[in-house]
Amino acid sequence: MARRNEPWTGMVWDAWAMSLEASTVIGLRTMKIAEGGAAAHTEIDLMISEKMTAAMTLPMLAMTGQLGINGPAVAARSISHLRKKVRANRRRLSKA
């Protein structure tokens, strides 16, 4: 996706797109968990693990400067990092 000249405008778009994908993941996960059984327990464990990893990874990336040194860069790279994870979950859950 092409970035606009104003960095915050592009981030708003990316955050909006990620929120749509995240809502799809929530719906797909809810259906999988509602089915019950071993697959539901596996999905719950995976979801918790992902949340814990995300809670530790982004701050570490920020502290080591891997997300950039200014506000727009940190925000854009944070959204990009999280969106890749959300997209992977959407694809994985859509196949089931």
Side-chain angles (χ1 to χ4, degrees):
M1 171 180 308
R3 295 278 178 203
R4 291 137 186 97
N5 292 336
E6 164 51 51
W8 295 108
T9 304
M11 278 182 278
V12 168
W13 173 258
D14 291 343
W16 175 78
M18 182 178 68
S19 73
L20 291 179
E21 289 177 316
S23 66
T24 301
V25 169
I26 291 167
L28 291 168
R29 274 191 160 153
T30 300
M31 289 189 309
K32 187 167 193 138
I33 292 167
E35 290 174 1
H41 289 285
T42 301
E43 190 63 34
I44 291 168
D45 291 342
L46 179 60
M47 181 176 60
I48 292 169
S49 171
E50 288 173 349
K51 302 298 181 199
M52 291 174 62
T53 300
M56 292 183 289
T57 302
L58 272 180
M60 291 302 294
L61 291 173
M63 286 188 289
T64 58
Q66 295 179 56
L67 295 178
I69 57 171
N70 62 32
V74 171
R77 290 181 184 152
S78 295
I79 291 169
S80 176
H81 175 79
L82 293 172
R83 192 168 180 201
K84 287 176 190 173
K85 306 296 183 185
V86 171
R87 186 177 296 127
N89 275 327
R90 181 184 50 79
R91 287 179 180 152
R92 178 181 58 81
L93 289 163
S94 294
K95 290 179 185 177

